[in-house]
Amino acid sequence: MTETDHPARLLAESVTLGYGDVPVSQDLDFAVADRAVTAIIGPNGCGKSTLLRALGRLLRPNAGQVTLDGRRITAIPPRQVARTMAVLPQSPQAPPGLTVADLVARGRHPYQSWYRQWSSTDAEHVDGVLELTGLLEQAERPLERLSGGQRQRAWIAMALAQQTDLLLLDEPTTFLDLTHQIEVLDLVRALNRDHERTVVMVLHDLNLAARYAHRLVAMRDGAVVSSGAPDEVLTPDSLARVFGLECTVIPDPVSGTPLVVPIGVADRSPSR
C-alpha cells in the first residue's frame, strides 16, 4: 500500500485535549488522509483514543480546533456531522435482546425527524449494509448470540447505515481472537478499496496495522512522534522511541509490509 495524496477533510489544528484538569495532548496537529485507511498506534495512555474522540466530536478541545470540510466541527449541527462521519467507540454496549437488524437500523437515526419517519429508503440501506457485512442471514438474531467477529461487524454495519464516507473506529479488534480480527480488518479494507471510505482506526497490533493501513501515525505522551507509510514508521529506531521496544523489522512473507519481531531479554546476545 502507498499513502494517498488526497487532501484532508478532517483536521485537528493545534488542539489541546484532556479530561477536566488532566491534560493529554497539547498543541497537537493531525490530518486525516482522505480515501485512505489510517491506523493510530502507540503505547497505552498515549492519547490515541482521546484524539479519536476529538476528531469524532465526542470531546471538545480545550484549545485549538477540529475542522470538517473546512468548518469548525463544533459549529456544525450534530445531525449533519452524523451524516458525514460515523464513530464506533471502544466496547459499545447494546440492551439485551436487541437484534442485529434493530441495531443497524439505529444508524438511520440522523435521517429521522418528526416529519420524516422510517421509509423504504431506510429499509433498503439497512438491507444493503447487512449484505455488505455478511450479516443478512443473522438479521433477526440477538447480538449476544453472535460470535465476537459477527458482533463487531454488526456495530460496523450500524455505522455504515449512517451512509457516511468517514469512519472512525476505536480499537475495533479488541478482545477478538486472531481469526475474528482478520475478519473485521478484511471488511475495513474492502470498505476502503471498493467503496472509497476514509477510515481512521486505533490499533494495538503493529503488524496488522502495517498490513491493513495506508498510513500509520505513532503517538507517545500525547504527541505525534512519526507518521507516514508503514515502512517509514515501523523502523527499529522509531519503535524504540515510541514503545521503548528493542526489535528487528523484516518483510511480512504474505503482504510484504513491515513485520515487527520483538527482542526480549532472553533473546538478546551478549553484545547487545
Side-chain angles (χ1 to χ4, degrees):
M1 289 184 176
T2 57
E3 189 171 356
T4 67
D5 296 323
H6 299 290
R9 295 176 54 203
L10 184 60
L11 295 166
E13 301 175 290
S14 301
V15 294
T16 295
L17 307 173
Y19 302 95
D21 295 329
V22 181
V24 176
S25 294
Q26 293 185 322
D27 200 28
L28 178 65
D29 292 313
F30 186 93
V32 174
D34 195 29
R35 303 183 202 174
V37 178
T38 298
I40 306 174
I41 61 173
N44 291 338
C46 72
K48 302 184 299 294
S49 294
T50 299
L51 172 59
L52 202 75
R53 285 174 57 82
L55 291 171
R57 204 177 183 272
L58 302 178
L59 178 68
R60 191 184 186 102
N62 297 327
Q65 65 178 3
V66 174
T67 60
L68 174 62
D69 291 330
R71 297 175 60 192
R72 186 186 291 262
I73 198 169
T74 53
I76 305 174
R79 190 179 295 270
Q80 186 177 339
V81 173
R83 293 179 180 181
T84 306
M85 177 171 57
V87 183
L88 184 60
Q90 290 184 43
S91 305
Q93 300 294 319
L98 190 74
T99 67
V100 172
D102 288 339
L103 174 70
V104 176
R106 294 186 175 199
R108 300 302 298 167
H109 285 181
Y111 301 91
Q112 307 298 311
S113 65
W114 66 269
Y115 59 86
R116 185 197 182 282
Q117 300 300 313
W118 187 262
S119 68
S120 59
T121 299
D122 296 315
E124 288 172 5
H125 280 298
V126 169
D127 287 344
V129 297
L130 286 171
E131 183 173 5
L132 177 64
T133 54
L135 291 170
L136 203 53
E137 294 183 358
Q138 312 295 334
E140 301 308 318
R141 293 188 68 187
L143 279 178
E144 61 263 30
R145 293 179 58 187
L146 301 183
S147 70
Q150 288 173 325
R151 277 197 302 275
Q152 198 69 328
R153 278 193 283 135
W155 284 105
I156 293 175
M158 183 194 72
L160 293 177
Q162 287 181 225
Q163 205 177 347
T164 71
D165 54 3
L166 283 167
L167 188 59
L168 309 186
L169 308 175
D170 195 355
E171 300 188 26
T173 59
T174 298
F175 306 125
L176 298 182
D177 62 36
L178 185 56
T179 298
H180 290 134
Q181 289 180 44
I182 297 298
E183 179 181 302
V184 168
L185 292 174
D186 278 345
L187 172 60
V188 168
R189 178 158 55 189
L191 291 171
N192 168 259
R193 180 190 63 225
D194 301 334
H195 302 275
E196 295 192 330
R197 295 294 205 283
T198 297
V199 182
V200 183
M201 55 184 176
V202 172
L203 285 182
H204 281 290
D205 190 306
L206 302 180
N207 295 326
L208 290 181
R211 182 180 290 191
Y212 284 93
H214 301 96
R215 181 180 183 233
L216 300 185
V217 176
M219 295 185 66
R220 183 178 179 88
D221 298 329
V224 172
V225 176
S226 61
S227 65
D231 60 355
E232 297 171 338
V233 175
L234 297 183
T235 66
D237 288 345
S238 176
L239 292 167
R241 292 198 310 274
V242 174
F243 294 94
L245 176 69
E246 186 176 352
C247 67
T248 187
V249 180
I250 61 175
D252 186 314
V254 173
S255 64
T257 53
L259 183 70
V260 178
V261 182
I263 299 173
V265 174
D267 301 315
R268 297 173 188 168
S269 66
S271 60
R272 283 199 175 100

